Amino acid sequence: MKRDAEAIGIGTQLTRLGRDPQEQHGFVNTPVYRGSTVIFKTVDDLENSRAKYAYGTLGTPTIESLESAWSAIAGAAGTVISPSGLGALALALLTTLKSGDHLLMPDSVYRPTRTFCATLLAKFGVEIEYYDPVIADGIEELFKSNTSTIFLESPGSQSFEIQDVPAITRIARARGIKTIIDNTWATPIFFRAHDHGCDISVEAGTKYLGGHSDLLMGLVSANAQTWPELRKTYDSLAMLPGAEDCFLALRGLRTMHLRLEAAQRRGLEIAAWMAEQPEVMRVLHPALPSCPGHELWKRDFKGATGLFSVILKPQFDKQSIAAMLDHMEIFGMGYSWGGFESLIVPFDCGEYRTATRWAPGGLALRLQIGLEDTEDLKRDLRSGLDRLGGGAGSR
């Protein structure tokens, strides 16, 4: 299948990867395998673990089907799966770090990753230093003798800074430093992180892979050099997902490219429309030419998804935000993204950043654009913006 995957389109790949009807009595999809104990035929087989699956914590056909499919689309040597995106991030960091190491972390990183660093990693003697995500090749000035890992997230969580991933990974590789990227926003369909030099790529399958807001999952893929250590760490922790979640993820995989295309189209339409509204100061969407980092996005990415942020004009306060959001009819207030439903949340990065200053000039909202009709979404947003300004911005 790997040879086929190099010659066929992504839509065809996603219909074929991670399944073999001949191994499952002709049924199209891999069934759900649940279990702990694996039975061996002989003592010799038992003592020498002569079985494809020796115990439930080492995997099942359902898990392996998803692992192999994800490795193929990510261009990875191997993939492991965890029960959540945050679990996957923790697994990746534990693979490359040890006590006494120095970790470089972008100041724009997903906040729960920051919390993991401040609690568990700091507890075990890892030195964490935050850096400006747009530093590019200047990151070399931050290297220490004990720097072992650089973490990247592009675009940045909430604030959407695009990092120069090829520049950073090139410098890191020359110094023997491992790189990990949170690639959840783009997925491997729109950004193949390993092709851009990343040793480990982490995606929250909770988002676009699942696509229906009904599962939690994280995926960690690695290049050939880093894969053995990742698998060793994974087997040591036995951080497996549930079989039903893997089944749902495999089902979501078949249509992920179609949903991503819809997310890109709808997200760009709403982002461009929001940029025209009188209450909005600017829109943070990497695919818009007005967004900082757009040229890097255009160079490195194959597409954009349906998540972006807007900065409101400075006259609005938190009470105005509440008046807008408390009465939305279609947009829900909730975290995550990548599902069929549209979401909106206020945020303030300035509460926790340390290496950079978040001062956008106005209050910020993050929007996830779902599969509703865009005209309905515009009406809901326009009504909300009217409430935001007490009706002053109505049209």
Side-chain angles (χ1 to χ4, degrees), residues 322-386:
M324 175 183 178
L325 300 187
D326 286 353
H327 303 284
M328 301 296 286
E329 295 184 356
I330 298 176
F331 281 85
M333 280 188 286
Y335 299 104
S336 196
W337 73 85
F340 56 84
E341 77 289 4
S342 292
L343 301 171
I344 187 168
V345 291
F347 69 91
D348 181 6
C349 301
E351 298 175 355
Y352 52 85
R353 288 199 174 188
T354 57
T356 57
R357 183 168 177 261
W358 170 252
L363 297 178
L365 299 171
R366 191 181 73 177
L367 284 72
Q368 128 79 10
I369 305 304
L371 299 179
E372 303 91 346
D373 289 346
T374 53
E375 292 305 313
D376 293 332
L377 295 177
K378 290 175 185 177
R379 279 193 292 271
D380 198 31
L381 287 167
R382 186 60 258 165
S383 295
L385 292 168
D386 287 345

Side-chain angles (χ1 to χ4, degrees), residues 146-219:
N146 60 335
T147 303
S148 71
T149 304
I150 302 172
F151 195 94
L152 304 99
E153 181 176 292
S154 186
S157 184
Q158 299 180 328
S159 48
F160 290 89
E161 296 91 341
I162 294 289
Q163 296 193 257
D164 193 337
V165 175
I168 293 173
T169 58
R170 182 176 62 252
I171 293 168
R173 183 155 297 177
R175 295 284 294 270
I177 296 170
K178 294 294 185 182
T179 52
I180 301 170
I181 189 168
D182 184 337
N183 192 40
T184 300
W185 183 82
T187 82
I189 292 179
F190 286 159
F191 184 81
R192 298 232 310 179
H194 299 299
D195 291 352
H196 290 84
C198 295
D199 295 298
I200 293 179
S201 182
V202 181
E203 282 91 6
T206 307
K207 275 67 171 181
Y208 285 112
L209 176 60
H212 295 81
S213 302
D214 55 6
L215 68 84
L216 292 167
M217 179 171 288
L219 305 104

Side-chain angles (χ1 to χ4, degrees), residues 13 15 55 64 71-72 93 127 164 288 320 336 345 381 386:
Q13 289 182 49
T15 65
Y55 190 69
E64 186 187 25
S71 294
L93 288 163
E127 178 187 357
D164 193 337
L288 293 180
S320 303
S336 196
V345 291
L381 287 167
D386 287 345

Side-chain angles (χ1 to χ4, degrees), residues 7-303:
I8 60 180
I10 188 63
T12 307
Q13 289 182 49
L14 295 184
T15 65
R16 299 176 64 183
L17 292 168
R19 66 184 187 88
D20 186 350
Q22 298 311 309
E23 289 189 359
Q24 51 224 23
H25 309 287
F27 286 99
V28 169
N29 292 305
T30 304
V32 175
Y33 286 83
R34 291 179 293 186
S36 54
T37 300
V38 174
I39 299 298
F40 296 83
K41 290 184 177 181
T42 68
V43 171
D44 184 58
D45 288 341
L46 178 69
E47 292 179 344
N48 292 283
S49 295
R50 289 198 179 93
K52 186 173 183 179
Y53 307 99
Y55 190 69
T57 57
L58 299 177
T60 69
T62 311
I63 296 173
E64 186 187 25
S65 292
L66 182 56
E67 290 173 342
S68 64
W70 197 259
S71 294
I73 65 170
T79 297
V80 293
I81 309 169
S82 81
S84 72
L86 181 57
L89 290 164
L91 179 63
L93 288 163
L94 291 173
T95 296
T96 64
L97 291 166
K98 64 183 184 304
S99 180
D101 280 356
H102 176 236
L103 164 67
L104 287 169
M105 180 70 63
D107 210 23
S108 54
V109 73
Y110 175 56
R111 193 172 185 180
T113 306
R114 199 178 192 109
T115 301
F116 176 77
C117 291
T119 52
L120 286 182
L121 290 186
K123 176 181 177 181
F124 289 107
V126 174
E127 178 187 357
I128 301 104
E129 180 177 355
Y130 289 91
Y131 68 90
D132 185 338
V134 299
I135 198 171
D137 53 9
I139 198 168
E140 192 168 11
E141 298 176 9
L142 303 179
F143 290 174
K144 299 181 179 182
S145 60
N146 60 335
T147 303
S148 71
T149 304
I150 302 172
F151 195 94
L152 304 99
E153 181 176 292
S154 186
S157 184
Q158 299 180 328
S159 48
F160 290 89
E161 296 91 341
I162 294 289
Q163 296 193 257
D164 193 337
V165 175
I168 293 173
T169 58
R170 182 176 62 252
I171 293 168
R173 183 155 297 177
R175 295 284 294 270
I177 296 170
K178 294 294 185 182
T179 52
I180 301 170
I181 189 168
D182 184 337
N183 192 40
T184 300
W185 183 82
T187 82
I189 292 179
F190 286 159
F191 184 81
R192 298 232 310 179
H194 299 299
D195 291 352
H196 290 84
C198 295
D199 295 298
I200 293 179
S201 182
V202 181
E203 282 91 6
T206 307
K207 275 67 171 181
Y208 285 112
L209 176 60
H212 295 81
S213 302
D214 55 6
L215 68 84
L216 292 167
M217 179 171 288
L219 305 104
V220 191
S221 60
N223 59 18
Q225 184 182 23
T226 314
W227 167 242
E229 191 61 32
L230 172 60
R231 186 72 213 197
K232 185 190 303 181
T233 304
Y234 182 72
D235 289 340
S236 297
L237 293 172
M239 195 192 293
L240 273 74
E244 286 82 2
D245 285 347
C246 287
F247 180 84
L248 287 173
L250 281 164
R251 187 168 66 177
L253 184 75
R254 310 306 174 198
T255 60
M256 186 169 74
H257 68 297
L258 298 175
R259 290 182 282 104
L260 283 172
E261 289 170 1
Q264 174 171 236
R265 183 175 63 255
R266 294 162 183 270
L268 274 170
E269 180 181 344
I270 298 296
W273 180 85
M274 285 293 284
E276 297 174 349
Q277 304 312 299
E279 297 84 0
V280 174
M281 183 161 59
R282 66 179 178 275
V283 175
L284 303 178
H285 189 308
L288 293 180
S290 59
C291 185
H294 171 72
E295 291 303 316
L296 288 175
W297 172 84
K298 189 165 63 172
R299 183 193 72 186
D300 295 340
F301 288 72
K302 295 180 180 178

